[in-house]
Amino acid sequence: MTAFEVTCSRCNIKCSESKKCERFDCELPEYYNAYAKVFKVAPAKYYCSLTGGINAGKTLYLITLIDSFLRPSKELKLFYQKNKISKIEIIDPVSSGLLNKLIKQCNDGKLQFTVYNSSLEFFNLIARLTNGEIFEIVLFNSSGEKIEEHYIRHDTRTDAHELQGSSVIHLLDPREDSGLNDILRAPKADDDCSNMEITEYIYEVLKNVNKGVKIVNQPLAVCISKFDLLLPLIPLDLPEDPFTEVHHGDFFKKIDGTSKRLSTFLANNSRTVDPISLHKQFGKHKYFAIAPFGSDAMPAYWKKRNPKGIYAPFFWILKQLGII
């Protein structure tokens, strides 16, 4: 009888027994045991890289998104039905423990940056379709500090598998782009903007992963994070409603239309994202407006969250991967 086998999300090593590998923070055996109880064969697994600099909103994006999957609204359930999704869940204690820890920190107003030397954080999501197919989507909560360090070193042949996923969701912080920062009502000093062209760096990483191809096939979702800061200041340059929500009947069509407008907006204003270059580099890419928390309050208390547009990049990625 063939042993049950999984790929550890933290180690990226195939494991056919319930024991830790050489990494001190390996997620086994908890992950292995949980999956072995549910599956005869582990589902197809997709890594989704979440990129962005320090304080881009990656952690808030992830916990608001995933918590809503575990407690789906009526509108989200209707979206599931329309797109033949049965449910999206977490079955391993590693992901559940991380989610609960981060939500508790946010509930207490003590959510911290994901620091460089912390253990690699991620969420293993199980997507079940109504036709019986099952997929695992791993969303990495990569440290912005670590991503910035890789960017500065131009370490494009990195062994960090969390940056080499089958798809990328990139969060652009308006305050770290001097062009977008200048539009804000209360901008920070331009000299303090990092102006890191992280999408260019990710392209170079994926080009190496794909053995030097000119056009990368991994889908890229470029998300202008904290878009609520920009929305009241430039109404004539943007769609009246830039956030794509699941209750929109023309969900994917709206993504296409909004992406075109946002592409033009970034081409005219951004100093870190160049839509002309990305068009030549990524075969599949779209632009999104998101507000992971929905306010600029600090600290960010969980009960005061009002996220907007968070589903669009995730479900667009699933569509590009052929999952839905």
Side-chain angles (χ1 to χ4, degrees):
M1 182 176 178
T2 304
F4 181 75
E5 184 177 75
V6 296
T7 301
C8 174
S9 302
R10 183 168 280 137
C11 315
N12 197 33
I13 293 173
K14 288 188 176 181
C15 307
S16 56
E17 55 184 325
S18 178
K19 70 175 185 179
K20 289 185 179 294
C21 70
E22 64 270 16
R23 274 191 64 138
F24 78 95
D25 59 353
C26 176
E27 62 181 343
L28 301 176
E30 293 91 344
Y31 171 80
Y32 183 98
N33 292 341
Y35 277 52
K37 288 178 182 178
V38 176
F39 304 113
K40 291 183 179 179
V41 177
K45 185 167 189 162
Y46 294 86
Y47 288 156
C48 180
S49 304
L50 202 74
T51 64
I54 298 171
N55 199 31
K58 298 184 298 298
T59 301
L60 280 170
Y61 173 75
L62 285 172
I63 62 177
T64 53
L65 178 73
I66 295 167
D67 180 71
S68 68
F69 290 155
L70 304 185
R71 300 168 180 80
S73 64
K74 179 181 177 180
E75 292 79 13
L76 185 56
K77 288 179 180 178
L78 289 172
F79 180 88
Y80 283 179
Q81 291 176 13
K82 185 175 181 179
N83 291 277
K84 298 180 171 53
I85 300 170
S86 177
K87 63 165 34 174
I88 298 176
E89 61 182 341
I90 287 175
I91 65 172
D92 72 285
V94 178
S95 298
S96 295
L98 175 61
L99 181 66
N100 293 335
K101 180 191 79 170
L102 294 173
I103 289 178
K104 184 181 185 306
Q105 290 177 359
C106 190
N107 193 49
D108 296 339
K110 297 179 180 178
L111 190 65
Q112 302 293 320
F113 299 142
T114 306
V115 298
Y116 182 89
N117 59 356
S118 63
S119 297
L120 177 60
E121 294 183 345
F122 49 85
F123 298 95
N124 303 304
L125 302 184
I126 297 296
R128 298 179 183 270
L129 307 187
T130 55
N131 64 3
E133 289 186 292
I134 304 172
F135 299 89
E136 182 179 16
I137 301 100
V138 182
L139 294 170
F140 288 106
N141 188 29
S142 302
S143 160
E145 186 180 357
K146 181 177 181 180
I147 292 171
E148 290 185 5
E149 181 65 24
H150 279 278
Y151 168 88
I152 292 168
R153 295 202 314 257
H154 202 64
D155 183 15
T156 57
R157 297 186 182 275
T158 175
D159 291 329
H161 71 278
E162 67 270 23
L163 298 179
Q164 303 176 29
S166 59
S167 57
V168 180
I169 297 176
H170 175 70
L171 271 62
L172 168 61
D173 182 353
R175 287 203 173 98
E176 296 304 330
D177 179 309
S178 57
L180 300 181
N181 177 66
D182 287 345
I183 302 172
L184 300 179
R185 181 176 287 118
K188 64 189 293 187
D190 265 1
D191 290 345
D192 294 335
C193 294
S194 61
N195 278 335
M196 293 187 178
E197 299 179 18
I198 293 176
T199 53
E200 179 68 31
Y201 166 70
I202 293 300
Y203 167 69
E204 294 295 334
V205 171
L206 294 178
K207 190 169 69 170
N208 284 333
V209 169
N210 291 285
K211 298 180 172 33
V213 298
K214 295 295 183 183
I215 300 178
V216 169
N217 287 323
Q218 284 95 329
L220 168 70
V222 178
C223 306
I224 307 176
S225 187
K226 308 175 187 177
F227 201 87
D228 44 314
L229 300 180
L230 288 162
L231 191 58
L233 306 178
I234 42 178
L236 298 179
D237 295 347
L238 294 165
E240 185 175 343
D241 180 12
F243 301 111
T244 302
E245 305 292 1
V246 290
H247 63 261
H248 290 129
D250 54 352
F251 185 78
F252 292 106
K253 184 177 180 181
K254 187 177 189 307
I255 286 176
D256 291 342
T258 302
S259 177
K260 290 177 182 177
R261 297 283 297 276
L262 293 175
S263 173
T264 300
F265 168 70
L266 289 173
N268 291 335
N269 295 280
S270 175
R271 293 180 190 166
T272 65
V273 172
D274 180 5
I276 295 175
S277 293
L278 291 184
H279 181 73
K280 299 174 182 177
Q281 295 168 340
F282 288 87
K284 304 171 186 175
H285 65 285
K286 293 291 181 188
Y287 301 92
F288 300 84
I290 68 169
F293 198 74
S295 79
D296 200 30
M298 289 298 291
Y301 289 102
W302 182 245
K303 65 181 179 180
K304 294 184 178 181
R305 70 193 184 281
N306 183 27
K308 298 179 179 67
I310 60 173
Y311 297 115
F314 178 81
F315 286 122
W316 178 79
I317 288 288
L318 294 196
K319 189 172 180 64
Q320 299 310 305
L321 293 175
I323 293 175
I324 62 173

CSV table of all heavy atoms in Angstrom, one decimal, residues 20 43-44 46 61 66 81 104 121 134 171 173-175 177-178 185 187 212 242 246 261 268 280 282 286 290 307 318:
chain,number,residue,atom,x,y,z
A,20,LYS,N,8.8,15.4,11.8
A,20,LYS,CA,9.4,16.6,11.4
A,20,LYS,C,10.6,16.4,10.5
A,20,LYS,O,11.3,15.4,10.6
A,20,LYS,CB,9.9,17.4,12.6
A,20,LYS,CG,8.7,18.0,13.5
A,20,LYS,CD,9.3,18.9,14.6
A,20,LYS,CE,8.1,19.5,15.4
A,20,LYS,NZ,7.3,20.5,14.6
A,43,PRO,N,-4.8,16.7,-2.0
A,43,PRO,CA,-5.3,17.4,-3.2
A,43,PRO,C,-4.2,18.2,-3.9
A,43,PRO,O,-3.1,18.4,-3.3
A,43,PRO,CB,-6.3,18.4,-2.5
A,43,PRO,CG,-5.9,18.5,-1.1
A,43,PRO,CD,-5.3,17.2,-0.7
A,44,ALA,N,-4.5,18.5,-5.1
A,44,ALA,CA,-3.5,19.4,-5.9
A,44,ALA,C,-3.2,20.7,-5.2
A,44,ALA,O,-4.2,21.3,-4.6
A,44,ALA,CB,-4.1,19.7,-7.3
A,46,TYR,N,-1.5,24.5,-4.7
A,46,TYR,CA,-1.0,25.7,-5.4
A,46,TYR,C,-0.5,26.7,-4.4
A,46,TYR,O,-1.2,27.0,-3.4
A,46,TYR,CB,-2.1,26.4,-6.2
A,46,TYR,CG,-2.6,25.6,-7.4
A,46,TYR,CD1,-3.6,24.6,-7.2
A,46,TYR,CD2,-2.2,25.8,-8.6
A,46,TYR,CE1,-4.1,23.8,-8.2
A,46,TYR,CE2,-2.6,25.0,-9.7
A,46,TYR,CZ,-3.6,24.1,-9.5
A,46,TYR,OH,-4.1,23.3,-10.5
A,61,TYR,N,-5.1,41.8,5.2
A,61,TYR,CA,-5.8,41.3,4.1
A,61,TYR,C,-6.1,39.8,4.3
A,61,TYR,O,-7.2,39.3,4.0
A,61,TYR,CB,-4.9,41.5,2.8
A,61,TYR,CG,-5.5,40.8,1.6
A,61,TYR,CD1,-6.6,41.3,0.9
A,61,TYR,CD2,-5.0,39.6,1.1
A,61,TYR,CE1,-7.2,40.7,-0.2
A,61,TYR,CE2,-5.6,38.9,0.0
A,61,TYR,CZ,-6.7,39.5,-0.6
A,61,TYR,OH,-7.2,38.8,-1.7
A,66,ILE,N,-9.7,35.3,5.0
A,66,ILE,CA,-9.8,33.9,5.4
A,66,ILE,C,-10.9,33.8,6.5
A,66,ILE,O,-11.7,32.8,6.4
A,66,ILE,CB,-8.5,33.3,5.9
A,66,ILE,CG1,-7.5,33.3,4.8
A,66,ILE,CG2,-8.7,31.9,6.5
A,66,ILE,CD1,-6.1,33.0,5.1
A,81,GLN,N,-22.3,29.4,-5.1
A,81,GLN,CA,-23.2,28.6,-5.9
A,81,GLN,C,-23.0,28.9,-7.4
A,81,GLN,O,-23.0,28.0,-8.2
A,81,GLN,CB,-24.7,29.0,-5.5
A,81,GLN,CG,-25.0,28.5,-4.1
A,81,GLN,CD,-26.4,28.9,-3.7
A,81,GLN,OE1,-27.2,29.3,-4.5
A,81,GLN,NE2,-26.7,28.7,-2.4
A,104,LYS,N,-6.7,37.5,17.4
A,104,LYS,CA,-6.6,37.9,18.8
A,104,LYS,C,-5.8,39.1,19.0
A,104,LYS,O,-6.1,40.1,19.7
A,104,LYS,CB,-6.1,36.8,19.7
A,104,LYS,CG,-6.1,37.1,21.2
A,104,LYS,CD,-5.6,36.0,22.0
A,104,LYS,CE,-5.8,36.4,23.5
A,104,LYS,NZ,-5.2,37.7,23.9
A,121,GLU,N,5.1,32.2,7.8
A,121,GLU,CA,3.6,32.0,8.1
A,121,GLU,C,2.8,31.8,6.9
A,121,GLU,O,3.2,32.4,5.8
A,121,GLU,CB,3.1,33.3,8.9
A,121,GLU,CG,3.7,33.5,10.2
A,121,GLU,CD,3.2,34.7,11.0
A,121,GLU,OE1,2.5,35.5,10.3
A,121,GLU,OE2,3.4,34.8,12.2
A,134,ILE,N,-11.2,18.9,-5.4
A,134,ILE,CA,-10.7,19.5,-4.2
A,134,ILE,C,-9.3,20.1,-4.5
A,134,ILE,O,-8.4,19.4,-5.1
A,134,ILE,CB,-10.6,18.5,-3.0
A,134,ILE,CG1,-11.9,17.9,-2.7
A,134,ILE,CG2,-10.0,19.2,-1.7
A,134,ILE,CD1,-11.9,16.8,-1.7
A,171,LEU,N,0.6,43.7,-3.0
A,171,LEU,CA,-0.1,44.8,-2.3
A,171,LEU,C,0.9,46.0,-2.4
A,171,LEU,O,2.0,46.0,-1.9
A,171,LEU,CB,-0.4,44.5,-0.9
A,171,LEU,CG,-1.8,43.9,-0.6
A,171,LEU,CD1,-1.9,42.6,-1.3
A,171,LEU,CD2,-2.1,43.8,0.9
A,173,ASP,N,1.4,49.8,-1.3
A,173,ASP,CA,1.1,50.8,-0.2
A,173,ASP,C,1.2,52.2,-0.8
A,173,ASP,O,2.3,52.6,-1.2
A,173,ASP,CB,2.0,50.6,1.0
A,173,ASP,CG,1.7,51.5,2.1
A,173,ASP,OD1,0.8,52.4,2.0
A,173,ASP,OD2,2.3,51.3,3.2
A,174,PRO,N,0.1,53.0,-0.9
A,174,PRO,CA,0.2,54.3,-1.5
A,174,PRO,C,1.3,55.2,-0.7
A,174,PRO,O,1.9,56.1,-1.4
A,174,PRO,CB,-1.2,54.9,-1.3
A,174,PRO,CG,-2.1,53.7,-1.2
A,174,PRO,CD,-1.3,52.6,-0.5
A,175,ARG,N,1.5,54.9,0.5
A,175,ARG,CA,2.4,55.8,1.3
A,175,ARG,C,3.9,55.5,1.0
A,175,ARG,O,4.7,56.2,1.4
A,175,ARG,CB,2.1,55.6,2.8
A,175,ARG,CG,0.9,56.3,3.3
A,175,ARG,CD,1.0,56.6,4.8
A,175,ARG,NE,-0.2,57.4,5.2
A,175,ARG,CZ,-1.2,57.0,5.8
A,175,ARG,NH1,-1.3,55.7,6.0
A,175,ARG,NH2,-2.2,57.7,6.2
A,177,ASP,N,4.9,54.8,-2.2
A,177,ASP,CA,5.1,55.2,-3.6
A,177,ASP,C,4.9,56.7,-3.6
A,177,ASP,O,3.9,57.3,-3.4
A,177,ASP,CB,4.0,54.5,-4.4
A,177,ASP,CG,4.1,54.8,-5.9
A,177,ASP,OD1,4.1,56.0,-6.3
A,177,ASP,OD2,4.0,53.9,-6.7
A,178,SER,N,6.0,57.4,-3.9
A,178,SER,CA,6.0,58.9,-3.8
A,178,SER,C,5.0,59.5,-4.7
A,178,SER,O,4.5,60.6,-4.4
A,178,SER,CB,7.4,59.5,-4.0
A,178,SER,OG,7.9,59.1,-5.3
A,185,ARG,N,-4.2,63.2,1.3
A,185,ARG,CA,-4.5,64.4,2.0
A,185,ARG,C,-3.4,64.7,3.1
A,185,ARG,O,-3.1,65.9,3.3
A,185,ARG,CB,-5.9,64.3,2.7
A,185,ARG,CG,-6.3,65.5,3.5
A,185,ARG,CD,-7.7,65.3,4.0
A,185,ARG,NE,-8.7,65.4,3.0
A,185,ARG,CZ,-9.6,64.4,2.7
A,185,ARG,NH1,-9.5,63.3,3.3
A,185,ARG,NH2,-10.5,64.6,1.8
A,187,PRO,N,0.1,63.4,3.2
A,187,PRO,CA,1.2,62.5,2.8
A,187,PRO,C,2.4,62.5,3.7
A,187,PRO,O,2.6,63.5,4.5
A,187,PRO,CB,1.6,63.2,1.4
A,187,PRO,CG,1.2,64.6,1.6
A,187,PRO,CD,0.0,64.6,2.4
A,212,GLY,N,14.3,31.6,-17.6
A,212,GLY,CA,14.6,32.7,-18.5
A,212,GLY,C,13.6,33.1,-19.5
A,212,GLY,O,13.9,33.8,-20.4
A,242,PRO,N,-14.7,51.6,-7.3
A,242,PRO,CA,-13.5,50.8,-7.7
A,242,PRO,C,-13.4,49.5,-7.1
A,242,PRO,O,-12.6,48.6,-7.5
A,242,PRO,CB,-12.3,51.7,-7.3
A,242,PRO,CG,-12.9,52.4,-6.1
A,242,PRO,CD,-14.3,52.7,-6.4
A,246,VAL,N,-18.5,40.6,-4.2
A,246,VAL,CA,-19.1,39.3,-4.7
A,246,VAL,C,-20.6,39.5,-5.1
A,246,VAL,O,-21.1,38.7,-5.9
A,246,VAL,CB,-19.0,38.2,-3.7
A,246,VAL,CG1,-17.5,37.7,-3.6
A,246,VAL,CG2,-19.5,38.6,-2.3
A,261,ARG,N,-9.1,50.9,-15.9
A,261,ARG,CA,-9.0,52.3,-15.4
A,261,ARG,C,-7.9,52.4,-14.4
A,261,ARG,O,-7.2,53.4,-14.3
A,261,ARG,CB,-10.3,52.6,-14.7
A,261,ARG,CG,-11.5,52.6,-15.6
A,261,ARG,CD,-11.6,53.9,-16.5
A,261,ARG,NE,-11.7,55.1,-15.7
A,261,ARG,CZ,-12.9,55.6,-15.2
A,261,ARG,NH1,-14.0,54.9,-15.5
A,261,ARG,NH2,-12.9,56.7,-14.5
A,268,ASN,N,-0.2,56.9,-14.9
A,268,ASN,CA,-0.1,58.4,-14.7
A,268,ASN,C,0.5,58.9,-13.4
A,268,ASN,O,1.0,60.0,-13.3
A,268,ASN,CB,-1.5,59.0,-14.9
A,268,ASN,CG,-2.0,58.9,-16.4
A,268,ASN,OD1,-1.2,58.7,-17.3
A,268,ASN,ND2,-3.3,58.9,-16.5
A,280,LYS,N,4.3,43.7,-20.8
A,280,LYS,CA,5.3,42.9,-21.5
A,280,LYS,C,5.9,41.7,-20.7
A,280,LYS,O,6.4,40.8,-21.3
A,280,LYS,CB,6.5,43.8,-21.9
A,280,LYS,CG,6.0,45.0,-22.8
A,280,LYS,CD,7.2,45.9,-23.1
A,280,LYS,CE,6.8,47.1,-23.9
A,280,LYS,NZ,8.0,48.1,-24.1
A,282,PHE,N,4.2,39.9,-17.9
A,282,PHE,CA,3.2,39.0,-17.4
A,282,PHE,C,2.1,38.7,-18.4
A,282,PHE,O,1.4,39.7,-18.8
A,282,PHE,CB,2.6,39.4,-16.0
A,282,PHE,CG,3.6,39.4,-14.9
A,282,PHE,CD1,4.5,40.5,-14.6
A,282,PHE,CD2,3.7,38.3,-14.1
A,282,PHE,CE1,5.4,40.4,-13.6
A,282,PHE,CE2,4.6,38.2,-13.0
A,282,PHE,CZ,5.4,39.3,-12.8
A,286,LYS,N,-3.9,41.7,-13.6
A,286,LYS,CA,-5.0,42.7,-13.5
A,286,LYS,C,-4.6,43.6,-12.3
A,286,LYS,O,-3.8,43.3,-11.5
A,286,LYS,CB,-6.3,42.0,-13.2
A,286,LYS,CG,-6.8,41.1,-14.3
A,286,LYS,CD,-7.3,41.9,-15.5
A,286,LYS,CE,-7.9,41.0,-16.6
A,286,LYS,NZ,-8.2,41.8,-17.8
A,290,ILE,N,-8.2,47.6,-3.2
A,290,ILE,CA,-8.6,46.9,-2.0
A,290,ILE,C,-8.4,47.8,-0.8
A,290,ILE,O,-7.6,48.7,-0.8
A,290,ILE,CB,-7.9,45.6,-1.8
A,290,ILE,CG1,-6.4,45.8,-1.5
A,290,ILE,CG2,-8.1,44.7,-3.0
A,290,ILE,CD1,-5.7,44.5,-1.1
A,307,PRO,N,-13.6,45.8,5.6
A,307,PRO,CA,-12.8,45.6,4.4
A,307,PRO,C,-13.6,45.7,3.1
A,307,PRO,O,-14.8,45.5,3.0
A,307,PRO,CB,-12.3,44.1,4.5
A,307,PRO,CG,-13.4,43.5,5.4
A,307,PRO,CD,-13.8,44.6,6.3
A,318,LEU,N,-7.9,32.3,-8.7
A,318,LEU,CA,-8.5,30.9,-8.8
A,318,LEU,C,-9.0,30.7,-10.3
A,318,LEU,O,-8.8,29.6,-10.8
A,318,LEU,CB,-9.6,30.7,-7.9
A,318,LEU,CG,-9.3,30.7,-6.4
A,318,LEU,CD1,-10.5,30.0,-5.6
A,318,LEU,CD2,-8.0,30.0,-6.0
